[in-house]
Each structure stands twice: as structure tokens, then as C-alpha cells.
Amino acid sequence: MQGFAGFMWLLSMALIIFSGFALFDAAVRREDAYRAADKKTKPFWLIILAIAFVVNLLFPILSFLPIIGLIATIVYMVDVRPAIRALPGGGRSRRGSSSDGPYGPYNGGR
């Protein structure tokens, strides 16, 4: 029985890390990337993934709420994240460089 409890604890930690990574990934993506990829809005995914993260922290793995949170996290990771990453710039928030011009980076005539 102790081996099963240890396995369930490891599985629970893996779910918490997985949902935490998805939440962090959704937080660093640009708002307009969600609209450009024709997915729901950034606040929608942040709320869904935050709820999934909290549910994974509070409830045991064998209840149905963490399973629903896992499904939401998988949908984000398999459907939304690849669509956003396929956009130019990968959907990441960018900070302009000092060499950026109005039409993109200036490379000095190279």
C-alpha cells in the first residue's frame, strides 16, 4: 500500500508541475497572439489554467476535479500552445531592441 501512495504522490506532483508550466507559458504569451491564432482570449486561458493549478494543489488525484483540470491543461498544451508558437515571434512578449526600426530590426545593411 505504501508503494501505491508513493506513486500517487509522484503523479500528483507531476500534475502540479505540468499545470504550473502551462499557466506560466500562458502568462508569457502576448494577448494578441491568442486572437491571431483564433483561440480564446489570454484572460480566459489564464483563469482556466489557474483554476486547474489550484485544484491540483487542493484535491486528491483520484477525485474528478483534478482530472477535469488535467483535461484543460492538455487542451492548452496540445491545441492552443502550438497554434500560438506557430505565429511569427512564437507569441512571446517582446521588448524592442535599440536597433529595431519601424519595420523590424535594423541590421546595418547586411
Side-chain angles (χ1 to χ4, degrees):
M1 204 57 183
Q2 184 135 8
F4 180 72
F7 173 73
M8 294 308 284
W9 182 82
L10 284 175
L11 191 59
S12 178
M13 288 297 112
L15 279 177
I16 290 169
I17 291 169
F18 184 55
S19 61
F21 173 76
L23 178 62
F24 175 78
D25 186 72
V28 298
R29 303 290 174 183
R30 293 190 330 251
E31 165 66 33
D32 61 336
Y34 289 87
R35 290 189 308 265
D38 199 28
K39 302 298 175 187
K40 298 279 186 187
T41 62
K42 181 176 181 173
F44 172 83
W45 282 108
L46 287 176
I47 290 169
I48 294 295
L49 294 172
I51 290 171
F53 181 73
V54 170
V55 163
N56 286 330
L57 282 174
L58 298 178
F59 291 96
I61 189 77
L62 292 177
S63 66
F64 71 95
L65 287 176
I67 294 171
I68 293 171
L70 175 64
I71 291 170
T73 304
I74 289 172
V75 166
Y76 175 80
M77 294 297 286
V78 174
D79 182 40
V80 178
R81 186 173 186 250
I84 292 173
R85 290 183 74 193
L87 297 173
R92 291 231 179 233
S93 358
R94 288 185 277 152
R95 301 210 168 130
S97 170
S98 62
S99 65
D100 284 353
Y103 304 109
Y106 177 72
N107 61 8
R110 290 185 250 161

